């Protein structure tokens, strides 16, 4: 495993652990399909005046976390953001209900 050392606020320290395969793909820009069972979460940081940010996360069998997609926009209404999030989820074939189904 390789790791990157990040420093946070105050004495808080964060580490990002990277497998050799992940590091290779990151450095070479090799795209690959994300298996459905890697799908983990969608995080949404709401914003109407400030940007809304949404990220789709996948976790592989070694615990590596991948940011699969991002939606980022400001000054838009809730319907716009909901539509964009649904469209990205559809394109990724991402689970969209609480039970992990479509």
């Amino acid at each position: 495993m390789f790791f990157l050392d990040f420093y946070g606020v105050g004495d808080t320290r964060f580490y990002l652990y990277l497998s050799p395969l992940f590091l290779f793909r990151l450095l070479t820009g090799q795209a690959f399909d994300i298996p459905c069972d890697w799908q983990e979460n969608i995080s949404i940081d709401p914003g109407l005046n400030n940007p809304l940010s949404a990220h789709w996360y996948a976790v592989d069998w070694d615990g590596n976390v991948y940011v699969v997609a991002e939606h980022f926009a400001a000054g838009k209404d809730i319907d716009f953001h909901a539509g964009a999030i649904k469209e990205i989820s559809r394109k990724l074939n991402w689970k969209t209900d609480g039970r992990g189904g479509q």
Side-chain angles (χ1 to χ4, degrees):
M1 285 284 197
F2 299 91
F3 71 92
L4 300 174
D5 190 358
F6 292 95
Y7 294 90
V9 178
D11 293 330
T12 304
R13 190 177 218 166
F14 300 94
Y15 297 95
L16 174 63
Y17 294 93
L18 305 173
S19 71
L21 178 59
F22 175 77
L23 188 60
F24 174 77
R25 288 177 173 161
L26 177 69
L27 296 175
T28 61
Q30 288 187 352
F32 60 97
D33 292 328
I34 300 294
C36 289
D37 56 338
W38 287 17
Q39 294 181 13
E40 184 66 24
N41 289 309
I42 301 173
S43 69
I44 301 173
D45 182 3
L48 296 175
N49 296 320
N50 296 318
L52 179 141
S53 177
H55 295 88
W56 285 252
Y57 294 97
V59 179
D60 70 13
W61 298 292
D62 294 324
N64 297 302
V65 177
Y66 299 81
V67 178
V68 178
E70 175 186 48
H71 165 67
F72 185 85
K76 304 293 184 182
D77 63 18
I78 293 170
D79 290 336
F80 172 84
H81 293 301
I85 290 168
K86 287 178 182 178
E87 179 62 18
I88 293 169
S89 295
R90 185 191 64 74
K91 286 181 180 178
L92 294 172
N93 196 31
W94 205 262
K95 59 187 178 185
T96 55
D97 68 17
R99 297 177 307 279
Q102 300 300 326

